Amino acid sequence: MSAAETPALPRPDTVRHAVATALTAPSVHNAQPWRWRIAADRIELYADPDRRLPFTDPDRRDHLVSCGAALATLHVALAASGIGHRTERFPDGDRDHLATVRFTGRPPTAADRNDAQLAPAIRRRRTDRRPFRDGGLADHTRAALGARAARYGVTLHTVTDPVARNHLVELEQAAALELRARPGHAAELLVWTHRYADSRDGVRTGSVPAGVPWPREPEIGVRFPAGSLPVPPLATDRATILALSTPADDDPARLAAGEALGIVLLAATRAGLATCPLSRILETVRTRSGLAIRVLRTTEHPQLIIRVGRAPDGRELPATPRRRLRDVLLRGE
């Protein structure tokens, strides 16, 4: 290939901005369990083993799903910047080297340009733990979210049957009891909900509803100690419950579920919906199996639950803190 034909590489500052944007992705307990390496022709994503939650997440499911959401956010940011790229997942024998994103030197594909339309939602997306006043999803919205998840080989389920929702409540309560009895879990939750002021991670009280935000029965997603976020009085939480599942249950499947999660959350935000990912039911073997059999009625493996609906008011939630780019970068080769 001649010099004239050599694909042009993107500007380093544009690439750094895309990686910084990926840091806004959601993660379980806002642990932000990722590291990044930036080179002239690629970006590498690594799982950060020091930020895994060993008592909450002994099999790395939450860890990989969180990193997948960051990878999807990076993809949208690159596409919005006009940077063509392709993603190689688990490119070598390093289990923590999750992906290498290589720049193609060509414009984004049509599918990538479609994802680029989600970019404005990146800064607006929040994990909203308040009760939702309306969870109704239009058929075309539900279909669009499902199609986006399917691109990653992930199935999006909608839990609407009252019996299934009751089973979901039972599983949520069973998971809470089992996790509370798990050695080390309470201390781990305390660590990530009582961060020091400059930590730029963890779940802050300003992101958690004050008091009891809605009647405790049924209870889906009430996990953290009461915070300071004001909540308008609502009789009940009317969120629509979505779930992501995959045919396999290995590391690539969990990463793919995270990528689907990231895209679905951005698409829902763009549609004016509030969202809240939930992972507690997935964190015990018994309740995860019950979710597949009793609620989703699938032979696939559930990976995450998402509450979706209309926020109880029009007030924008505060952004949760994120670590600085310099704190998550690995040195180049």
Side-chain angles (χ1 to χ4, degrees):
M1 180 180 291
S2 68
E5 297 172 320
T6 301
L9 295 174
R11 289 168 51 95
D13 58 336
T14 305
V15 173
R16 290 177 66 88
H17 177 73
V19 176
T21 300
L23 305 188
T24 65
S27 56
V28 175
H29 289 13
N30 193 25
Q32 304 170 48
W34 43 65
R35 302 294 298 274
W36 304 83
R37 178 178 285 122
I38 299 175
D41 63 342
R42 67 191 185 279
I43 301 167
E44 297 172 352
L45 168 63
Y46 293 82
D48 185 346
D50 293 335
R51 287 184 166 260
R52 187 169 71 83
L53 310 174
F55 301 105
T56 300
D57 181 33
D59 63 359
R60 287 210 327 165
R61 182 186 313 278
D62 292 347
H63 199 64
L64 291 170
V65 168
S66 298
C67 288
L71 182 60
T73 307
L74 174 69
H75 161 68
V76 172
L78 289 173
S81 296
I83 300 174
H85 58 281
R86 68 177 186 275
T87 302
E88 302 167 3
R89 296 162 182 86
F90 295 95
D92 53 40
D94 182 353
R95 194 180 180 208
D96 287 330
H97 184 185
L98 305 182
T100 293
V101 180
R102 297 191 182 276
F103 309 134
T104 64
R106 296 184 293 273
T109 65
D112 290 351
R113 290 196 299 272
N114 182 52
D115 287 340
Q117 297 176 14
L118 302 177
I122 294 175
R123 297 293 179 182
R124 293 190 291 109
R125 185 210 60 78
R126 300 285 189 271
T127 295
D128 193 336
R129 299 179 178 88
R130 299 175 297 174
F132 297 156
R133 58 182 169 83
D134 178 18
L137 291 184
D139 290 343
H140 70 273
T141 301
R142 185 183 292 108
L145 296 179
R148 288 188 182 275
R151 285 179 51 198
Y152 295 93
V154 176
T155 302
L156 182 71
H157 307 260
T158 305
V159 182
T160 56
D161 178 71
V163 173
R165 287 183 69 105
N166 287 337
H167 287 327
L168 191 65
V169 172
E170 294 169 3
L171 293 170
E172 177 82 13
Q173 294 169 340
L177 289 173
E178 183 171 336
L179 287 171
R180 279 199 291 268
R182 183 181 290 176
H185 177 265
E188 193 168 71
L189 182 63
L190 184 67
V191 165
W192 289 99
T193 56
H194 292 75
R195 307 297 281 173
Y196 57 90
D198 296 329
S199 67
R200 305 178 72 89
D201 57 10
V203 179
R204 304 303 176 95
T205 58
S207 298
V208 179
V212 181
W214 62 85
R216 300 193 68 81
E217 300 292 343
E219 177 183 24
I220 300 175
V222 179
R223 178 171 192 153
F224 300 106
S228 59
L229 179 63
V231 178
L234 291 177
T236 186
D237 177 38
R238 299 186 180 278
T240 290
I241 303 298
L242 307 177
L244 299 173
S245 70
T246 53
D249 193 30
D250 52 13
D251 285 358
R254 294 167 182 177
L255 185 69
E259 291 183 81
L261 168 69
I263 292 293
V264 166
L265 293 179
L266 293 179
T269 300
R270 183 170 181 254
L273 298 168
T275 61
C276 181
L278 305 174
S279 60
R280 181 160 57 184
I281 290 177
L282 287 305
E283 290 161 3
T284 84
V285 173
R286 182 166 64 91
T287 54
R288 186 167 63 248
S289 174
L291 176 61
I293 297 170
R294 297 171 59 194
V295 178
L296 305 182
R297 298 181 181 180
T298 181
T299 58
E300 292 195 339
H301 301 272
Q303 302 293 351
L304 202 77
I305 295 170
I306 311 170
R307 292 174 57 247
V308 178
R310 302 288 175 181
D313 58 33
R315 189 170 69 91
E316 182 174 331
L317 294 180
T320 52
R322 291 295 190 272
R323 292 191 290 164
R324 301 175 183 89
L325 179 60
R326 65 174 181 266
D327 296 329
V328 299
L329 286 182
L330 297 167
R331 292 184 178 183
E333 297 178 348

